[in-house]
Amino acid sequence: FFSAPFSAMDTEPPAACTHSQRCMEKDKEIVHLIMQLQALHSKTLRLQATNLHLTEELQERTTELEGKIQSNAEIEVEMHALRTSLGAISSYASINEAKA
């Protein structure tokens, strides 16, 4: 019996080179997709490197700011102590002037 060289899914009988042309087109598509994937992978790696760099920079700046915040808090405590002392000295001076 005669066996058809194409499946029931095909809508038209293949020409002599249609199958190989379709395969070549698919191969070209696959190569193109692989190239796109490689380009995306390269971009991903660059973005990951940039992200890592920015994360490290952010951590350094955060540490600096935390140090400045701590210093400011210490300065505020010292200023409060100085104001308290100044107030006490001022009160003492007023009392002494009143006695004199």
Side-chain angles (χ1 to χ4, degrees):
F1 289 114
F2 176 74
S3 175
F6 56 93
S7 71
M9 298 295 287
D10 290 331
T11 56
E12 59 185 57
C17 62
T18 301
H19 180 71
S20 63
Q21 283 177 339
R22 278 189 281 171
C23 287
M24 286 176 57
E25 289 299 317
K26 293 292 180 188
D27 287 348
K28 286 180 187 177
E29 288 177 35
I30 290 170
V31 168
H32 181 69
L33 290 172
I34 289 171
M35 290 171 59
Q36 287 180 326
L37 183 59
Q38 289 172 335
L40 287 173
H41 181 66
S42 294
K43 286 180 183 179
T44 300
L45 292 176
R46 284 193 302 274
L47 288 172
Q48 286 174 337
T50 299
N51 187 32
L52 179 61
H53 173 74
L54 292 174
T55 300
E56 290 170 351
E57 190 174 315
L58 179 62
Q59 183 59 47
E60 288 173 16
R61 289 184 182 184
T62 300
T63 301
E64 289 174 16
L65 286 174
E66 287 171 345
K68 288 179 181 180
I69 290 168
Q70 180 64 34
S71 295
N72 286 345
E74 291 169 0
I75 290 169
E76 287 293 326
V77 168
E78 290 178 26
M79 287 180 67
H80 179 71
L82 288 172
R83 284 188 193 108
T84 303
S85 297
L86 184 57
I89 291 169
S90 182
S91 294
Y92 182 72
S94 296
I95 292 170
N96 282 340
E97 286 178 6
K99 287 182 181 180

